[in-house]
C-alpha cells in the first residue's frame, strides 16, 4: 500500500515471496506446507491484497485459482504483456506447479529476458516479479541436470567463440561469486603461485554479489591495483605471457547478460540456479589440457557441478567443500561432534585415467575419485582457522 516510505517493498521481493508460498502450497511435503499461522494470515489479508497487488503478482500467488478460492481468479486468465513475458508466464506456470523445464526451454527464457533492464532499453522486457519468481521457483524445485545445463551454457557465444590460449594447461577456478564473510579466501594466491610454475590459471567472478556480499577475488585484486575489467581476449594474452600466466575476468565483461541481474538477485536474497552454473564457465579455452575447480557447500550440488564440468569437456574436474563453501581447505581436525553430511575438506572429481576403470560418457575417458582430505595425515598440526572481519585489508 506504500506505507513503507523509506524502503518500499520491490516487485522482485513480492514475486520471490509469493512464488515460494505458492510452490510450498502446491507441491511441498505436508510438513513444509503452510503453517496454521500462515493460513490464517493469508485468509485475513488476501481479500485486501487483491486490491493492491499488480496482476502479475496475483498470478504468481495463485496461478490456477486453486489456493485463494473465489478471490484467486486473476491467475488462470493471466498471460503477460509482450512475447518475452508471455513465454516466461508459460514456463512459470509449470515451475509454480512444481514441474521442470527442458534444456531448450530454459535457454529460450533466459535469452528472451536477459540482459535485464539495460542495453539502452527504457524498461525491462519482463516484469521483475515474474523473473524473480521464475529464478527462485526453479531453485525451490531443485533443478534437474537439463535445467542446470541450460543455465550454464545459455550465453556461451554471447561475445562470439571464446578465445583459445596457446598454453599447455589451463585451470579454471570457480569460487562462489558472493565471496567470504568469515574465513580467509586463498584461491587468488594459490592460482598466482601455480602460474609461477607454468600452470596457467583463470579466475572469474564479480566484485560484489548477494546474498552474502562477502570478500571476493575481484575486491582483492582491485585493492592491489590490478585491472579487474579485462576482456576475454586480454585475459588470453595474459595467460600466454610466460611472465604472468594468470588472469581474472569480471562477469561484467565476460557475460553482460548474467551481470545484468545482480540487482535483482539482491532482492531475491536466496541463491538462484545461476549461483551454481556461473562457477562452471569457460570464458577462455586452451590449446592444451584444461581443468576446472569449483567450491560448494550444500548437499546435492556436488554431482551437478561435476556433470557441468564434464559437459565442458575438460580433462579434469574437482569440486571442493572448503570453508564457507569456497576452495580453501582447513587444517582443523574434524570434531567427533561434527554435524552429519559432507565434511569440510571433502573433494571429488574426475581426471584422465591411469587405469582401465573409467567412464566414457561423452567421448573423453575419465576416472572418478572421492576423498576427504585429512590435514594431520599430511603432516599439518590441527589449528583453528583464523576468523577475519568482513574487510579486504
Amino acid at each position: 500500500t506504500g506505507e513503507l516510505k523509506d524502503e518500499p517493498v520491490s516487485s522482485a521481493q513480492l514475486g520471490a515471496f509469493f512464488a515460494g508460498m505458492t510452490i510450498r502450497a502446491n507441491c511441498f511435503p505436508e510438513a513444509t506446507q503452510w503453517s496454521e499461522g500462515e493460513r490464517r494470515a493469508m485468509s485475513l489479508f488476501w481479500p485486501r491484497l487483491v486490491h493492491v497487488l499488480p496482476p502479475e503478482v496475483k498470478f504468481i500467488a495463485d496461478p490456477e485459482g486453486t489456493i485463494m478460492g473465489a478471490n484467486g481468479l486473476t491467475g488462470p486468465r493471466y498471460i503477460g504483456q509482450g512475447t518475452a513475458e508471455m513465454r516466461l508466464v508459460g514456463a512459470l506456470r509449470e515451475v509454480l506447479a512444481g514441474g521442470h523445464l527442458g534444456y531448450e526451454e530454459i535457454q529460450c527464457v533466459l535469452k528472451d529476458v536477459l540482459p535485464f533492464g539495460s542495453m539502452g532499453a527504457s524498461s525491462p522486457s519482463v516484469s521483475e516479479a515474474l523473473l524473480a519468481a521464475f529464478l527462485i521457483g526453479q531453485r525451490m524445485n531443485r533443478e534437474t541436470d537439463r535445467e542446470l545445463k541450460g543455465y550454464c551454457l545459455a550465453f556461451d557465444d554471447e561475445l562470439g567463440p571464446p578465445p583459445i590460449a596457446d598454453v599447455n594447461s589451463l585451470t579454471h577456478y570457480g569460487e562462489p561469486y558472493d565471496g567470504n564473510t568469515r574465513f580467509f579466501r586463498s584461491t587468488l594466491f594459490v592460482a598466482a603461485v601455480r602460474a609461477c610454475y607454468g600452470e596457467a590459471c583463470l579466475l572469474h567472478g564479480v566484485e560484489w554479489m548477494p546474498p552474502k556480499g562477502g570478500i571476493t577475488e575481484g575486491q582483492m585484486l582491485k585493492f592491489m591495483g590490478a585491472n579487474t575489467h579485462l576482456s576475454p581476449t586480454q585475459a588470453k594474452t595474459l595467460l600466454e605471457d610466460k611472465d604472468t600466466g594468470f588472469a581474472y575476468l569480471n562477469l561484467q565483461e565476460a557475460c553482460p547478460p548474467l551481470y545484468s541481474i545482480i540487482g535483482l538477485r539482491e532482492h531475491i536474497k536466496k541463491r538462484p540456479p545461476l549461483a551454481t552454473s556461473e562457477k562452471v564457465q569457460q570464458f577462455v579455452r586452451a590449446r592444451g589440457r584444461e581443468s576446472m575447480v569449483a567450491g560448494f557447500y550444500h548437499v546435492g550440488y556436488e554431482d551437478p557441478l561435476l556433470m557441468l564440468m564434464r559437459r565442458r569437456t575438460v580433462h579434469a574436474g574437482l569440486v571442493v567443500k572448503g570453508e564457507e563453501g569456497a576452495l580453501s581447505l582447513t587444517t582443523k581436525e574434524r570434531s567427533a561432534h561434527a554435524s552429519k553430511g559432507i565434511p569440510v575438506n571433502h573433494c571429488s572429481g574426475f581426471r584422465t585415467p591411469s587405469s582401465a576403470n573409467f567412464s566414457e560418457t561423452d567421448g573423453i575417458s575419465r576416472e572418478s575419485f572421492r576423498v576427504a582430505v585429512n590435514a594431520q595425515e599430511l603432516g599439518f598440526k590441527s589449528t583453528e582457522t583464523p576468523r577475519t572481519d568482513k574487510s579486504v585489508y
Side-chain angles (χ1 to χ4, degrees):
T1 59
E3 294 175 12
L4 298 175
K5 299 297 184 185
D6 294 334
E7 203 169 348
V9 177
S10 71
S11 296
Q13 287 172 322
L14 288 171
F17 172 78
F18 282 107
M21 292 294 285
T22 298
I23 290 172
R24 286 176 56 215
N26 279 339
C27 51
F28 265 37
E30 185 176 353
T32 51
Q33 291 179 4
W34 292 6
S35 68
E36 181 58 34
E38 287 172 319
R39 282 192 290 271
R40 287 201 307 269
M42 292 298 277
S43 296
L44 174 64
F45 287 103
W46 185 252
R48 293 164 59 185
L49 287 169
V50 293
H51 295 296
V52 294
L53 291 178
E56 66 268 23
V57 177
K58 286 188 280 188
F59 155 69
I60 294 165
D62 194 3
E64 304 302 331
T66 57
I67 300 175
M68 302 302 180
N71 287 315
L73 299 179
T74 300
R77 298 193 296 258
Y78 187 78
I79 60 172
Q81 298 180 354
T83 304
E85 195 165 280
M86 291 171 70
R87 187 177 285 125
L88 177 58
V89 168
L92 189 50
R93 282 192 188 278
E94 186 71 24
V95 171
L96 292 172
H100 293 281
L101 305 174
Y103 171 80
E104 292 82 6
E105 290 176 286
I106 294 291
Q107 293 221 326
C108 285
V109 168
L110 292 177
K111 290 180 178 180
D112 273 348
V113 303
L114 300 180
F116 186 74
S118 59
M119 308 296 281
S122 57
S123 62
S125 60
V126 297
S127 156
E128 283 190 6
L130 293 172
L131 182 53
F134 179 78
L135 292 173
I136 198 60
Q138 287 256 281
R139 174 49 55 103
M140 288 185 68
N141 290 338
R142 285 297 300 272
E143 316 90 338
T144 64
D145 283 359
R146 289 181 304 172
E147 289 170 326
L148 279 175
K149 281 192 287 187
Y151 280 98
C152 187
L153 307 177
F155 297 101
D156 271 11
D157 297 324
E158 180 68 15
L159 302 178
I164 300 175
D166 187 14
V167 293
N168 292 328
S169 74
L170 175 61
T171 302
H172 304 263
Y173 287 90
E175 285 278 30
Y177 274 25
D178 61 350
N180 280 29
T181 59
R182 293 179 292 135
F183 294 113
F184 176 66
R185 188 149 153 148
S186 64
T187 300
L188 172 63
F189 307 98
V190 171
V193 170
R194 291 189 69 238
C196 294
Y197 284 87
E199 298 290 339
C201 296
L202 177 65
L203 280 72
H204 53 90
V206 292
E207 191 169 321
W208 183 90
M209 177 72 81
K212 284 167 70 172
I215 302 302
T216 62
E217 286 73 26
Q219 291 178 29
M220 288 187 276
L221 285 165
K222 184 178 179 180
F223 176 74
M224 290 186 279
N227 181 1
T228 57
H229 293 283
L230 302 172
S231 69
T233 301
Q234 290 172 317
K236 165 189 173 290
T237 301
L238 286 175
L239 293 171
E240 293 174 335
D241 186 340
K242 290 182 169 52
D243 293 328
T244 309
F246 168 90
Y248 167 85
L249 281 172
N250 190 309
L251 195 65
Q252 185 173 6
E253 283 72 37
C255 190
L258 296 183
Y259 183 83
S260 72
I261 58 169
I262 291 179
L264 185 78
R265 289 172 65 168
E266 183 181 5
H267 287 248
I268 296 173
K269 291 302 181 190
K270 295 294 184 181
R271 293 175 180 85
L274 292 165
T276 298
S277 63
E278 64 200 4
K279 293 184 284 191
V280 190
Q281 295 302 311
Q282 206 169 14
F283 297 124
V284 178
R285 300 294 305 269
R287 178 182 55 77
R289 179 186 178 87
E290 289 188 70
S291 304
M292 279 192 173
V293 190
F296 80 103
Y297 184 82
H298 294 288
V299 174
Y301 285 94
E302 171 188 9
D303 290 337
L305 282 168
L306 290 172
M307 175 276 298
L308 292 176
M309 291 179 185
R310 290 187 180 95
R311 180 62 180 78
R312 291 293 187 190
T313 64
V314 295
H315 297 82
L318 174 68
V319 294
V320 177
K321 184 178 178 179
E323 291 180 310
E324 288 194 67
L327 295 174
S328 301
L329 301 181
T330 180
T331 59
K332 181 182 178 181
E333 187 174 8
R334 192 182 190 210
S335 168
H337 306 292
S339 59
K340 294 180 181 179
I342 299 175
V344 175
N345 284 15
H346 171 87
C347 303
S348 63
F350 58 86
R351 58 196 167 204
T352 303
S354 55
S355 68
N357 297 319
F358 57 82
S359 62
E360 195 169 344
T361 58
D362 56 5
I364 296 181
S365 304
R366 305 183 182 93
E367 62 179 357
S368 299
F369 61 89
R370 189 180 297 250
V371 62
V373 176
N374 186 318
Q376 287 68 56
E377 291 177 356
L378 299 173
F380 293 92
K381 292 181 179 179
S382 177
T383 56
E384 293 282 345
T385 302
R387 295 272 180 151
T388 62
D389 60 6
K390 194 174 173 181
S391 168
V392 73
Y393 301 103

